[in-house]
Amino acid sequence: MARVTTSPTFKRLPRAVREQQMLDAAVRVFSRRGFHAASMDEIAEDAGISKPMVYAYLGTKEELFIACLHREGTRLMEAIVAGVGTDLPPDEQLWRGLRAFFGFVGAHRDGWAVLYRQARAQQPFAGALATMRERMVEVIGTMLAQALAAEGREIRDMDLEVMAYALVGASESLADWLADRPDADPDKTATRMMNFAWVGAGQLLHGETWPPAPLSP
Amino acid sequence: MARVTTSPTFKRLPRAVREQQMLDAAVRVFSRRGFHAASMDEIAEDAGISKPMVYAYLGTKEELFIACLHREGTRLMEAIVAGVGTDLPPDEQLWRGLRAFFGFVGAHRDGWAVLYRQARAQQPFAGALATMRERMVEVIGTMLAQALAAEGREIRDMDLEVMAYALVGASESLADWLADRPDADPDKTATRMMNFAWVGAGQLLHGETWPPAPLSP
Amino acid sequence: MARVTTSPTFKRLPRAVREQQMLDAAVRVFSRRGFHAASMDEIAEDAGISKPMVYAYLGTKEELFIACLHREGTRLMEAIVAGVGTDLPPDEQLWRGLRAFFGFVGAHRDGWAVLYRQARAQQPFAGALATMRERMVEVIGTMLAQALAAEGREIRDMDLEVMAYALVGASESLADWLADRPDADPDKTATRMMNFAWVGAGQLLHGETWPPAPLSP
Amino acid sequence: MARVTTSPTFKRLPRAVREQQMLDAAVRVFSRRGFHAASMDEIAEDAGISKPMVYAYLGTKEELFIACLHREGTRLMEAIVAGVGTDLPPDEQLWRGLRAFFGFVGAHRDGWAVLYRQARAQQPFAGALATMRERMVEVIGTMLAQALAAEGREIRDMDLEVMAYALVGASESLADWLADRPDADPDKTATRMMNFAWVGAGQLLHGETWPPAPLSP
DNA sequence: TATGAATGAGCCTTCATTCAT
DNA sequence: TATGAATGAAGGCTCATTCAT
């Protein structure tokens, strides 16, 4: 009696590969629908895999989303760090960082920006988000701190933090702007952001603050 | 002894009053839980009224949310417009605008910022959001344009738009920062934002851009 | 100080009038939507009256529907009885009855046929329906019985009842057919029904039955 | 003593089986309560299964109802077609068809007739109904047309359609009559219907119409 | 490993009906 | 008489999650 082991086409892939497939699918679906509107069914189907597998590999829906966030966030960070380089003047560093950031966002229009936006709206992800943001603020803060050190000046930590937040916020806003406009050019957007950020930040770093003279209360 | 016929507390209120109660409750609950996690039951209960009334007066959950967005957004706009004043130098205008903005956000820590964040994450609200944002961008854009005109200079529309977006984004980010920190001081936050924005924007307005000399491609 | 008794346009109508308005509205809405899909709100609104009035005058939704059924059914009966006349040969009577029936249905395409159809589908109306149908079966049965008597023949009661049911059923079916076809001509439909019914019934009345010779079991 | 591992009764059945169970339950409940009064909860419970399974397999309440209609309608048609046979004289065909029809209705007193009645009352089922009815009219129309052809005579399509409708209506009415009288005999009902239909139709087919001489307009 | 079968729980929405004025 | 305000109750539908095979 003949053996009937029809080779199951493309099955039994190693775990690591399967996980990436799932994450790809999850990122797609979460971006397309938003966290809540995304259903585990759709994700599993989009991944070409059965639901229990998703649970077995990546855990609950929240954990799955966090996994997406992590992977995409890490990729973004890597892109930025790789773009920034080392031992360059701070403005060049910032410029390269921004260009990398907008380049990445522009290239993954369905990924990072949307996930991030989602995460900010769902409280369960406060933790994961805080982590991400700290990483970003740290990267930017470090740059700024180096620049200040180079100038021999100092700045209070909280001011630094706020400035970093403002920068990140402005960048996020433009990232949204960019994500909504398929024809827009990431590099030009980066330039505009740089102008906005640096000429301002630059002056600040030189010690000039506003207002020139004290103002209302 | 006179009969004190204080109407039985909390019954048969006129529509206008009930609607405000409901909106108050809705804003509270949407902020506390997020759009999806908020249940109409909880909103109704928090408003001290039965669910069908909510549907009768404010409609669907989505419509209710949009109503919240509108009310809070309008209040914010009014606060800003009232704060900005007229016939003042542009930096003074911007400063007052920012102070009004952060003052409002600080005073309604559970209101605007959170709703706005929610709206950005749920696709069904794209329309309502676009409207809001256009209003904001317009307010800011107008200020900037006036400032430019006062300087006798010009700027391309798109640059203006991008700059306004950056400003709005930075402000939103700091609003988040503020909303998450009950102890932070709105006025100080406004000052920091002003420093970030104006010294930068101010230089731009004077025609100085970055980079000083052309850079990489 | 001027008297402000703006004459309330068309208010305070006598009860009887109001009731007719409500029934008109109810018939319209029940026909348009079906019993369940019709809402008391819509009926009240269509009648230009507030809901509590409807309850005060015509009672619950079921009672209201039954009231509609009665009024329309009575009108139909009256039309038929008026059409049939007296002291005519049975075929002429049947013909006139059918013509009146289809004429009425054709003229009230949104009324009787639809209500009747509705009533047949909702168990709570079994009683009301039985009454109506009995009235119809009686009218027809009487005609047939007279015809038989004129022929000096007899027929068992149950056979008579079944025949009447068949007649009523066929007529109802054609009434539906007519109600769904706004362009169809009531009179032609009546003629067709008459042909179907009479040439058959006529033969039966003459004592000819099927099969001519006994058939299968 | 052998272990009797009868699989734990009623668990993990294959889809096809469960679907039939659900349809059985649905037909029962829809017939018992009517479409609107039937609740998905009751259907699920009656089927001994949880509600989500019903939705997973058969879809919406409307879709479920249509599925019932289809299954029962198809069964009826098959019964009729099987009953009618081929190459028989038209009266014999009609007789067998009617007997099959009433036999089926009598045997499934809670099934077809009630569903059909329901469908006629709810507008959303217009489409499904039209389909069913066309199938029926076609079956009957074909028989009649063959009979006519055999007689070498012709008849306009619309007349044929109307006659078929009248037949179907009369049959439906008697089916109702039968469904409401548990003691009545399907075969006798079929005979009565046959008498009503054939002796009439028979005359028509012979070219005799009513009135013998032209009548009122 | 991999999956079809199965469900508890919950949410949005609607409606008939009644108070209090 | 007439109505705006108010609600208890219920029903359709969906989803994340887990067994049993």
Side-chain angles (χ1 to χ4, degrees):
Chain A
M1 197 174 141
R3 241 172 88 226
V4 204
T5 47
T6 35
S7 76
T9 19
F10 280 82
K11 289 208 168 183
R12 307 258 163 198
L13 297 180
R15 172 161 187 154
V17 176
R18 273 277 144 93
E19 280 186 346
Q20 292 308 312
Q21 286 182 359
M22 291 181 197
L23 285 174
D24 291 341
V27 168
R28 265 194 301 275
V29 177
F30 280 133
S31 297
R32 196 187 311 148
R33 307 260 189 236
F35 177 74
H36 265 104
S39 82
M40 293 300 269
D41 278 278
E42 189 177 356
I43 291 173
E45 192 188 19
D46 187 292
I49 255 172
S50 77
K51 242 187 314 178
M53 292 274 18
V54 179
Y55 280 90
Y57 281 179
L58 277 338
T60 115
K61 192 185 182 186
E62 282 190 11
E63 289 166 347
L64 174 57
F65 183 82
I66 290 181
C68 293
L69 209 58
H70 259 105
R71 196 184 67 167
E72 299 299 308
T74 302
R75 286 181 177 175
L76 170 60
M77 292 303 179
E78 284 168 357
I80 293 178
V81 168
V84 165
T86 41
D87 288 325
L88 291 168
D91 63 339
E92 182 67 17
Q93 278 194 15
L94 181 55
W95 161 245
R96 294 190 174 203
L98 287 174
R99 206 165 59 151
F101 175 77
F102 285 103
F104 185 89
V105 171
H108 298 72
R109 278 191 165 87
D110 283 351
W112 172 253
V114 188
L115 291 186
Y116 192 83
R117 210 161 19 189
Q118 287 297 318
R120 296 220 312 181
Q122 326 290 340
Q123 286 145 343
F125 304 125
L129 252 196
T131 307
M132 301 289 0
R133 216 178 317 212
E134 272 159 31
R135 287 212 262 161
M136 285 198 123
V137 168
E138 191 197 324
V139 168
I140 293 183
T142 304
M143 273 189 322
L144 295 179
Q146 287 177 346
L148 287 168
E151 300 254 344
R153 298 185 59 261
E154 244 181 90
I155 195 170
R156 267 172 310 173
D157 268 7
M158 182 171 272
D159 284 334
L160 201 63
E161 189 190 345
V162 168
M163 206 160 132
Y165 264 96
L167 253 173
V168 169
S171 301
E172 282 170 14
S173 183
L174 290 194
D176 274 5
W177 184 87
L178 186 64
D180 289 344
R181 287 168 181 73
D183 309 328
D185 177 35
D187 263 21
K188 271 197 187 145
T189 310
T191 307
R192 288 192 185 103
M193 178 65 207
M194 185 65 191
N195 264 302
F196 178 76
W198 186 251
V199 183
Q203 300 311 107
L204 285 175
L205 294 176
H206 287 306
E208 299 185 22
T209 63
W210 179 94
L215 207 85
S216 45
Chain B
M1 194 178 143
R3 233 170 95 231
V4 188
T5 48
T6 31
S7 63
T9 21
F10 283 84
K11 283 220 160 187
R12 302 269 153 183
L13 299 183
R15 175 165 185 156
V17 176
R18 274 278 135 92
E19 278 186 345
Q20 292 309 314
Q21 289 182 355
M22 291 179 194
L23 286 173
D24 291 342
V27 169
R28 267 194 301 274
V29 177
F30 280 135
S31 298
R32 196 185 311 147
R33 307 263 189 233
F35 178 74
H36 265 104
S39 88
M40 292 299 266
D41 279 279
E42 189 178 355
I43 292 173
E45 193 187 18
D46 188 291
I49 226 165
S50 77
K51 235 189 318 178
M53 290 283 357
V54 181
Y55 280 90
Y57 284 174
L58 276 337
T60 292
K61 193 184 181 188
E62 280 191 13
E63 289 166 346
L64 174 57
F65 184 83
I66 290 182
C68 292
L69 211 57
H70 258 105
R71 196 185 68 168
E72 299 299 309
T74 301
R75 286 181 177 175
L76 169 60
M77 293 303 179
E78 283 168 358
I80 293 179
V81 168
V84 165
T86 40
D87 288 325
L88 291 168
D91 59 340
E92 183 67 18
Q93 277 194 16
L94 181 56
W95 160 245
R96 294 189 174 205
L98 285 175
R99 207 165 58 151
F101 175 76
F102 286 102
F104 184 89
V105 171
H108 299 71
R109 278 191 165 83
D110 282 353
W112 173 254
V114 190
L115 290 186
Y116 195 82
R117 198 149 47 177
Q118 287 298 318
R120 299 219 310 179
Q122 325 290 342
Q123 288 147 343
F125 303 126
L129 249 198
T131 307
M132 287 320 332
R133 214 179 315 211
E134 271 159 31
R135 286 212 263 162
M136 286 195 120
V137 167
E138 191 197 322
V139 168
I140 293 185
T142 304
M143 272 189 324
L144 296 178
Q146 286 177 345
L148 288 168
E151 301 256 343
R153 299 186 56 260
E154 248 182 86
I155 195 170
R156 268 174 310 172
D157 268 8
M158 181 171 270
D159 285 333
L160 202 65
E161 189 191 344
V162 169
M163 206 159 130
Y165 265 95
L167 255 171
V168 169
S171 302
E172 283 171 14
S173 184
L174 290 193
D176 271 9
W177 184 87
L178 186 63
D180 288 345
R181 287 168 182 75
D183 308 328
D185 177 36
D187 263 22
K188 271 194 186 147
T189 311
T191 307
R192 289 190 185 105
M193 179 63 208
M194 184 66 192
N195 265 303
F196 176 77
W198 186 251
V199 184
Q203 299 311 108
L204 286 175
L205 294 176
H206 287 306
E208 300 185 23
T209 63
W210 179 93
L215 208 85
S216 46
Chain C
M1 198 176 141
R3 238 171 92 228
V4 205
T5 46
T6 34
S7 76
T9 20
F10 281 82
K11 288 209 165 184
R12 307 258 163 197
L13 297 180
R15 172 160 185 154
V17 178
R18 273 277 143 93
E19 279 186 346
Q20 292 307 314
Q21 287 182 357
M22 291 181 195
L23 285 175
D24 290 342
V27 169
R28 267 194 301 274
V29 177
F30 280 133
S31 297
R32 196 187 310 149
R33 307 262 187 233
F35 178 72
H36 265 105
S39 82
M40 293 300 267
D41 278 278
E42 188 176 356
I43 292 173
E45 192 188 20
D46 188 291
I49 255 172
S50 76
K51 243 188 312 179
M53 292 273 20
V54 180
Y55 280 90
Y57 280 0
L58 276 337
T60 113
K61 192 185 182 186
E62 282 190 12
E63 290 166 346
L64 174 57
F65 183 82
I66 290 181
C68 292
L69 210 56
H70 259 106
R71 196 185 65 167
E72 298 299 307
T74 302
R75 287 181 178 176
L76 169 60
M77 293 302 179
E78 284 168 356
I80 293 178
V81 169
V84 165
T86 40
D87 288 324
L88 291 167
D91 62 339
E92 183 67 17
Q93 277 193 15
L94 181 55
W95 161 245
R96 294 191 174 204
L98 287 174
R99 207 166 58 151
F101 174 76
F102 286 102
F104 184 88
V105 171
H108 299 71
R109 279 189 165 87
D110 284 351
W112 173 253
V114 188
L115 290 186
Y116 193 82
R117 203 157 31 183
Q118 286 298 318
R120 297 219 312 180
Q122 325 291 340
Q123 287 145 342
F125 304 126
L129 250 197
T131 307
M132 303 285 5
R133 216 180 314 213
E134 272 158 31
R135 287 211 262 161
M136 286 196 120
V137 168
E138 190 197 324
V139 169
I140 293 185
T142 304
M143 273 189 321
L144 296 178
Q146 286 179 348
L148 287 167
E151 301 255 342
R153 297 187 58 261
E154 247 181 87
I155 196 169
R156 266 173 309 174
D157 268 6
M158 181 170 272
D159 285 334
L160 200 63
E161 189 190 346
V162 167
M163 206 160 132
Y165 264 95
L167 256 171
V168 170
S171 301
E172 283 171 13
S173 185
L174 291 193
D176 271 8
W177 184 87
L178 186 63
D180 289 345
R181 288 169 180 72
D183 309 326
D185 177 35
D187 263 22
K188 273 195 184 145
T189 311
T191 307
R192 289 193 185 102
M193 179 64 209
M194 185 67 192
N195 265 302
F196 177 79
W198 186 251
V199 183
Q203 299 311 107
L204 285 175
L205 294 175
H206 286 306
E208 300 184 21
T209 62
W210 180 94
L215 207 86
S216 45
Chain D
M1 194 176 143
R3 232 170 95 232
V4 187
T5 48
T6 32
S7 64
T9 21
F10 283 84
K11 283 222 163 189
R12 302 268 152 186
L13 300 183
R15 173 164 186 157
V17 176
R18 274 278 134 94
E19 276 184 347
Q20 292 309 314
Q21 289 182 354
M22 291 179 195
L23 286 174
D24 291 342
V27 169
R28 265 194 302 273
V29 176
F30 280 134
S31 298
R32 196 186 310 148
R33 307 262 189 234
F35 178 74
H36 265 105
S39 87
M40 293 299 268
D41 279 280
E42 188 177 357
I43 292 173
E45 193 187 19
D46 187 291
I49 227 165
S50 76
K51 230 189 323 178
M53 291 282 358
V54 181
Y55 280 90
Y57 284 174
L58 276 337
T60 291
K61 193 184 181 187
E62 280 191 13
E63 289 167 347
L64 174 57
F65 184 82
I66 290 181
C68 293
L69 210 57
H70 257 106
R71 196 185 68 168
E72 298 300 308
T74 301
R75 286 181 176 175
L76 170 60
M77 294 300 178
E78 283 168 356
I80 293 179
V81 168
V84 165
T86 41
D87 289 324
L88 291 168
D91 60 339
E92 182 67 18
Q93 278 193 15
L94 181 56
W95 160 245
R96 295 190 173 203
L98 286 174
R99 206 167 57 152
F101 175 77
F102 286 102
F104 185 90
V105 171
H108 299 72
R109 278 192 164 84
D110 282 352
W112 172 254
V114 189
L115 290 186
Y116 193 83
R117 201 151 40 178
Q118 286 298 317
R120 296 219 312 181
Q122 326 289 342
Q123 288 146 345
F125 303 125
L129 252 196
T131 307
M132 282 329 324
R133 214 178 318 210
E134 271 159 32
R135 287 212 263 161
M136 287 198 121
V137 168
E138 190 197 323
V139 168
I140 294 183
T142 304
M143 275 189 322
L144 296 178
Q146 287 178 346
L148 287 167
E151 301 256 342
R153 298 187 57 260
E154 246 181 88
I155 194 170
R156 267 173 311 173
D157 269 7
M158 182 171 270
D159 284 334
L160 201 63
E161 189 191 344
V162 168
M163 206 161 131
Y165 265 96
L167 252 173
V168 169
S171 301
E172 284 170 13
S173 184
L174 291 193
D176 275 5
W177 184 87
L178 187 62
D180 289 345
R181 287 168 181 75
D183 309 329
D185 177 37
D187 264 22
K188 272 195 185 143
T189 311
T191 307
R192 288 191 185 104
M193 178 65 208
M194 185 65 192
N195 266 303
F196 177 77
W198 186 250
V199 182
Q203 300 310 108
L204 285 176
L205 294 176
H206 286 306
E208 300 185 21
T209 63
W210 180 94
L215 208 85
S216 46

